[in-house]
Amino acid sequence: MENKKHEELLKKSQEVQLGGGEKAIAKQKAMGKLTARERILRILDEGSFHEYDMFVEHDVRDFGMQEKKLAGDGVIIGTGTVYGSPIAIFAQDFTVAGGSLGSMHARKITKIMDYALRMRMPLIGINDSGGARIQEGVNSLAGYGEIFFRNTISSGVIPQLSVILGPCAGGAVYSPALTDFVFVVENISKMFITGPEVIKTVLGEEISMEELGGARVHSELTGNAHFYALSEEECFEQIKTLITFIPWHNGQKALAFEPKEPKSEYKIDTIVPEDATQPYDVRNVIRAVVDDSDFFEIQELWAANIVIGFARLNGETVGFVANQPLIMAGVLDCDSSDKAARFIRYCDAFNIPIITFEDLPGYLPGIDQEHAGVIRHGAKLLYAYSEATVPKITVILRKAYGGGYIAMNSRHLRADFVFAWPQAEIAVMGPEGAANIIFKKEIAESENPEEMRQQKVAEYREKFANPYVAASKGYIDSVITPQETRKFLLHAIQVSENKLEQMPLRKHGIPPF
Amino acid sequence: MQKNQIENKNYIDLSLENGTYKTTLPKRFKPKVWKRPNPNTVKTFIPGTILTILVKKGQKVNDGEQLAIFAAMKMHNIILAPHKGKVVDIFVTEGERLTKGAPMFNIQ
């Protein structure tokens, strides 16, 4: 008797585990994709996955749907662990009715989202769906809305990761957009609000899915994605690595690792050229100071003139924001401001100290920048730094001019520690611009204006383009050598361990979105 | 495919407010050229289809007079004359599908 019941369970679960059947699985494989179940099992620690709602079925009685049995209603939900950290996970199963979202499908997703929020653990959502299940009409839309609502209220409470491993189109893209990190894979991920067919019908313009909303487009052009991989395997590694850097929820810190020294191949005193017009890769400066020289970059292809990512100091997670002189001289513009501001808010929400490496010539001039609203975008950076109450540490490596100086976590936005290297130039503007304005008359009236200009530029540089003017006002706490940087950072993190800063009581601020 | 395009050693000069810097530009870096808009040209503000043209070439129109009915996103939008003048040119025909920013009328 008992055996018979057990056999029935086994048979039923085997049926569900086959998803949309062998034919549909073969089709999924032909597209170069893993199945939903394979994806979950590869992300989670071996043997840790526990599935729920396996026998959920849809209840649609229209359009012949009553005849159709959809395994798990096209989505798999459950919990497991990644390197021992608890994880809630759902994966849409494209082999079952194209992973289309109906009301029970959505109810499974919202169930696991509710678990994640209540149990305060990270949520990973794997999106691979043709979109709304049209036969379910407005119930399908209701399902999306319930998901978006939960994404929003969970934001800043638990980490939410979205993995796009197939199409994710129409309203469905708003769930990933509301989460913290979006992972995409070349040739597999497709995200857009209106697809190529609609664009062709309405506009007569032809574009492929890949060109419209492929992995590369979202990683390089739109900034919608944070991690770009060439294969699903690489993507899963990125997910697992990210999990090691972030806490399970906003009430704790990320797990600390064994402290390690940076690798000796990164020699901090040889990376930054003294001549402020010469480029270098600021990521090497980060690698030269962090544990094991391990810097985990986020959004490396988009707005690359600013660098963001996680690393560890003395075993503890820190977030880095750094101007990148290698790309567009490291200027601030609309995209780089957006990119850094959002990351700062992430770090602040999840108790991750923020370290800023500053070397920028200012904002990108241009009619297109002004008309794209660089005022509104640039303001996000000031807002994010000002409202962040986690430890905030700035190191001025070289240039810090004008509005850029203020924006990059200056003392005036209540940075906890501001350090500057001896070659730092902290001034209201670059020596050339400043000399041209202050000594306009002398230069114009000189017999050799160019020679006079050069002389005045040199004079200004000597007198003002250094860290000591700012240091004399206490805007900078210490002028340090590059070699001392790690020591100062470790100490700053150590002494700000119990930082407590309370902001005026309010419901929430009104950031310049 | 190379993921990280930052191995390029061919630096260019980028002139900014505070001087000229050696750096690289992302592949997609192309500042848009801004053109002064011509107040005489009536352009589409959304992609759509011209349903009916209500004026003829050479006709005098008043400020706010109806020029055309333009269907976009399931709505019939009425295109109005931006100022008093003469319809010098009509660039569209009825039933024509237009992209955003396409010129429809020239009113002088």
Side-chain angles (χ1 to χ4, degrees):
Chain A
M1 177 65 187
E2 201 190 333
N3 265 342
K4 214 174 156 197
K5 293 281 186 197
H6 285 193
E7 271 166 33
E8 186 192 0
L9 169 64
L10 190 67
K11 194 170 151 266
K12 273 177 175 286
S13 39
Q14 275 170 346
E15 267 172 31
V16 173
Q17 287 189 11
L18 208 54
E22 273 158 16
K23 237 169 115 182
I25 291 174
K27 228 170 136 187
Q28 175 90 348
K29 297 273 173 184
M31 289 188 277
K33 289 155 68 174
L34 295 170
T35 65
R37 197 164 296 275
E38 285 169 334
R39 286 164 173 169
I40 290 177
L41 295 178
R42 289 189 197 196
I43 292 171
L44 299 180
D45 295 337
E46 207 180 328
S48 75
F49 180 55
H50 290 70
E51 183 172 354
Y52 315 121
D53 277 0
M54 197 180 216
F55 302 123
V56 160
E57 289 177 23
H58 73 78
D59 51 9
V60 187
R61 296 292 167 262
D62 301 317
F63 311 113
M65 283 292 284
Q66 63 272 28
E67 315 292 328
K68 281 190 193 153
K69 208 166 147 67
L70 304 177
D73 208 39
V75 64
I76 303 169
I77 66 165
T79 51
T81 59
V82 168
Y83 296 129
S85 296
I87 297 288
I89 195 164
F90 71 84
Q92 293 181 306
D93 187 346
F94 197 78
T95 68
V96 180
S100 60
L101 185 136
S103 117
M104 293 311 286
H105 178 120
R107 213 177 293 179
K108 282 180 71 172
I109 294 177
T110 53
K111 184 188 226 177
I112 202 67
M113 292 176 87
D114 288 339
Y115 280 181
L117 185 56
R118 207 181 317 141
M119 264 75 99
R120 296 201 290 170
M121 59 179 150
L123 173 78
I124 299 176
I126 302 175
N127 294 264
D128 185 4
S129 163
R133 193 176 294 155
I134 308 300
Q135 292 88 341
E136 300 208 21
V138 75
N139 288 325
S140 167
L141 299 182
Y144 280 117
E146 297 282 341
I147 294 171
F148 303 159
F149 176 80
R150 282 164 179 79
N151 282 137
T152 307
I153 63 164
S154 305
S155 177
V157 183
I158 52 166
Q160 298 182 82
L161 282 56
S162 294
V163 195
I164 316 299
L165 294 177
C168 180
V173 294
Y174 286 124
S175 173
L178 289 166
T179 63
D180 307 332
F181 297 107
V182 176
F183 295 76
V184 291
V185 177
E186 183 70 19
N187 290 326
I188 292 178
S189 315
K190 269 117 197 142
M191 294 171 84
F192 33 72
I193 301 275
T194 54
E197 277 175 41
V198 179
I199 290 182
K200 196 179 168 194
T201 320
V202 177
L203 303 173
E205 289 172 6
E206 284 194 46
I207 189 164
S208 70
M209 279 199 198
E210 202 62 35
E211 292 165 308
L212 181 65
R216 189 88 193 177
V217 168
H218 287 304
S219 305
E220 201 176 330
L221 188 64
T222 67
N224 285 330
H226 301 83
F227 295 97
Y228 168 76
L230 296 177
S231 67
E232 293 197 26
E233 289 299 338
E234 189 190 354
C235 173
F236 301 155
E237 281 311 310
Q238 291 170 340
I239 295 168
K240 287 153 82 167
T241 306
L242 177 65
I243 293 289
T244 69
F245 280 104
I246 57 180
W248 301 348
H249 57 79
N250 68 339
Q252 59 162 214
K253 286 185 150 199
L255 295 182
F257 277 59
E258 193 70 24
K260 277 183 180 166
E261 285 299 307
K263 288 179 181 155
S264 58
E265 67 209 74
Y266 295 99
K267 296 196 182 9
I268 194 159
D269 50 334
T270 62
I271 300 168
V272 182
E274 207 170 318
D275 179 352
T277 68
Q278 296 302 309
Y280 62 93
D281 191 340
V282 75
R283 296 176 298 182
N284 289 334
V285 185
I286 298 173
R287 290 183 187 114
V289 300
V290 300
D291 287 16
D292 205 24
S293 297
D294 180 15
F295 176 54
F296 186 58
E297 192 174 355
I298 300 164
Q299 287 180 314
E300 61 172 296
L301 299 175
W302 180 62
N305 41 329
I306 207 156
V307 167
I308 58 170
F310 295 121
R312 290 188 184 90
L313 282 173
N314 206 24
E316 291 201 32
T317 297
V318 291
F320 271 93
V321 178
N323 308 116
Q324 173 60 291
L326 193 58
I327 307 287
M328 290 162 70
V331 291
L332 282 175
D333 57 3
C334 295
D335 285 351
S336 61
S337 301
D338 283 10
K339 173 175 164 181
R342 189 171 188 274
F343 180 67
I344 291 160
R345 297 193 90 194
Y346 185 85
C347 291
D348 188 42
F350 288 102
N351 316 311
I352 298 170
I354 302 158
I355 296 174
T356 304
F357 279 0
E358 177 171 2
D359 183 356
L360 85 164
Y363 288 84
L364 180 64
I367 298 168
D368 58 331
Q369 279 292 311
E370 295 296 336
H371 287 186
V374 66
I375 296 175
R376 173 168 65 86
H377 291 279
K380 295 179 197 181
L381 194 55
L382 296 154
Y383 194 103
Y385 270 127
S386 298
E387 76 167 349
T389 56
V390 291
K392 300 186 287 189
I393 304 156
T394 302
V395 183
I396 301 174
L397 307 181
R398 221 169 43 171
K399 300 179 297 295
Y401 300 149
Y405 157 74
I406 308 169
M408 293 303 290
N409 194 34
S410 59
R411 159 66 17 89
H412 326 295
L413 305 185
R414 215 174 273 178
D416 295 299
F417 296 97
V418 184
F419 306 125
W421 286 4
Q423 74 218 61
E425 297 182 0
I426 304 157
V428 67
M429 60 197 299
E432 301 216 4
N436 281 340
I437 293 170
I438 298 170
F439 306 109
K440 193 176 174 188
K441 212 170 149 204
E442 283 98 320
I443 293 170
E445 287 169 0
S446 160
E447 280 177 21
N448 189 339
E450 185 50 32
E451 199 176 287
M452 181 57 108
R453 205 178 67 83
Q454 292 302 338
Q455 190 193 320
K456 290 295 179 191
V457 168
E459 213 177 292
Y460 185 89
R461 189 183 299 275
E462 176 68 28
K463 227 170 166 177
F464 296 103
N466 60 54
Y468 300 107
V469 181
S472 76
K473 297 285 176 203
Y475 300 154
I476 287 168
D477 299 305
S478 310
V479 181
I480 61 173
T481 64
Q483 290 90 336
E484 290 174 309
T485 308
R486 179 171 160 89
K487 185 174 141 251
F488 270 83
L489 290 178
L490 290 179
H491 185 70
I493 295 285
Q494 191 190 354
V495 298
S496 45
E497 170 74 27
N498 295 313
K499 179 180 177 185
L500 178 66
E501 177 161 36
Q502 274 155 347
M503 290 301 203
L505 187 66
R506 60 180 170 186
K507 187 174 174 192
H508 56 65
I510 325 289
F513 272 164
Chain B
M1 185 184 300
Q2 187 147 32
K3 265 174 71 178
N4 191 340
Q5 78 281 58
I6 310 180
E7 285 307 312
N8 176 5
K9 292 278 180 242
N10 301 319
Y11 298 128
I12 57 102
D13 286 323
L14 181 65
S15 287
L16 301 168
E17 194 182 358
N18 290 312
T20 302
Y21 298 91
K22 293 257 178 246
T23 188
T24 62
L25 294 180
K27 264 187 301 181
R28 296 184 192 271
F29 180 84
K30 336 179 181 71
K32 275 178 227 139
V33 182
W34 182 75
K35 272 197 224 139
R36 193 175 301 282
N38 180 350
N40 293 333
T41 313
V42 183
K43 290 180 175 176
T44 58
F45 50 91
I46 188 174
T49 309
I50 291 282
L51 288 186
T52 320
I53 297 174
L54 304 167
V55 290
K56 291 203 168 63
K57 205 169 154 175
Q59 185 181 329
K60 287 215 166 86
V61 289
N62 274 319
D63 184 2
E65 198 171 323
Q66 301 189 356
L67 301 178
I69 298 171
F70 174 66
M73 291 308 290
K74 307 169 183 87
M75 283 284 291
H76 288 187
N77 303 278
I78 295 162
I79 307 294
L80 304 176
H83 52 76
K84 195 175 166 180
K86 198 168 112 181
V87 181
V88 174
D89 236 327
I90 299 177
F91 306 108
V92 291
T93 53
E94 288 181 359
E96 192 174 338
R97 217 157 55 182
L98 301 170
T99 55
K100 183 183 167 181
M104 295 183 286
F105 300 95
N106 189 341
I107 314 282
Q108 282 185 21

